[in-house]
Structure formats: structure tokens, C-alpha cells
Amino acid sequence: MTEDFLKNAIQNEAILKFNSKWSQAPEDEHARMAYQKLKNTPEFDEFTNAMIECYSKEITSNVLHSLEGVRRLIRDAGEE
């Protein structure tokens, strides 16, 4: 597993997380039309990019925390 592979996997996971949370339009027709207008603005693009970056940081932190746990398990297993 290369660093680029891991970065791409994290980026893809962040995009999926964003899409699963923000791509569903409201059921109400008026709200859905307003949401579609909002999605077509530069501000929504900026919001999308900021949220994906935020999700990427969160996922990266979780991955690093998990790797630290694995490192401790390996270290502890070697001490037994």
C-alpha cells in the first residue's frame, strides 16, 4: 500500500461521506427546488470542498489512531 493509494482512499471515502449526507434532496417540492438552486452556486461548491476536506481530516485521524493501536498491539505481543 503506497502513500498515494492511502491518500486517494481517504479522499474517496470523504467524498462518499459527503454525498451520503448532502446529496439527498428534501421530499417537499418547494424545499427540493430551493436546494437544487443552492447546489448550483459557487458557495455550495466552496461548502462541498470545505466539508470534504473536513471529512478527510477526520478519516485520516481515525486511520492514524487505528494504526497507533495496531503498533501498540504488536509491541505488546513482542513483550510477552
Side-chain angles (χ1 to χ4, degrees), residues 42-76:
E43 290 81 6
F44 191 81
D45 289 341
E46 186 178 338
F47 171 73
T48 299
N49 292 333
M51 290 304 296
I52 289 171
E53 183 179 333
C54 180
Y55 290 146
S56 291
K57 288 178 182 179
E58 178 184 319
I59 294 166
T60 299
S61 177
N62 291 341
V63 167
L64 292 174
H65 182 73
S66 295
L67 289 174
E68 181 61 28
V70 169
R71 190 174 72 91
R72 273 188 254 123
L73 283 172
I74 293 169
R75 184 192 67 219
D76 294 347

Side-chain angles (χ1 to χ4, degrees), residues 3-40:
E3 183 178 340
D4 286 339
F5 174 82
L6 189 55
K7 285 180 180 179
N8 286 334
I10 290 170
Q11 179 71 11
N12 289 338
E13 185 66 27
I15 291 169
L16 287 172
K17 187 172 182 175
F18 177 83
N19 287 335
S20 72
K21 185 165 185 165
W22 295 99
S23 67
Q24 296 185 11
E27 289 184 22
D28 178 77
E29 184 178 349
H30 179 70
R32 185 173 47 253
M33 289 174 50
Y35 183 64
Q36 288 302 323
K37 283 183 187 177
L38 177 64
K39 284 178 69 173
N40 293 326

